[in-house]
Amino acid sequence: MSLKWIDSLDIAIELCEQHPDVDPKTIRFTDLSEWVQALDDFDDDPTHCSERVLEAIQMCWIEEAEE
């Protein structure tokens, strides 16, 4: 399965697993973008990312971390 920018929840789950000690509320969007692009299953154009996309990923990650 390849991940695209629109797969916010799936990306958040992967990030939660790979960075369990990170508080997603404190991550900078530049770091978040790099971490998403570094995921093994990520396969999308980096230019398709926007602040809104990163906010959606961050919100999903926050929700996952709180469970």
Side-chain angles (χ1 to χ4, degrees):
M1 172 180 101
S2 66
L3 296 171
K4 306 291 183 194
W5 288 113
I6 60 170
D7 299 321
S8 302
L9 180 57
D10 293 328
I11 290 172
I13 291 168
E14 290 288 322
L15 291 171
C16 201
E17 291 174 359
Q18 289 197 6
H19 304 281
D21 297 331
V22 173
D23 180 354
K25 295 175 190 167
T26 64
I27 191 164
R28 297 181 317 200
F29 282 167
T30 52
D31 292 334
L32 181 56
S33 176
E34 289 175 13
W35 289 3
V36 170
Q37 293 176 60
L39 293 173
D40 289 338
D41 292 334
F42 184 77
D43 181 31
D44 203 353
D45 187 341
T47 62
H48 290 163
C49 181
S50 66
E51 188 170 320
R52 175 176 271 165
V53 170
L54 293 173
E55 286 174 352
I57 293 169
Q58 182 185 36
M59 291 306 298
C60 288
W61 190 0
I62 290 168
E63 290 174 13
E64 283 298 308
E66 290 176 351
E67 289 184 0

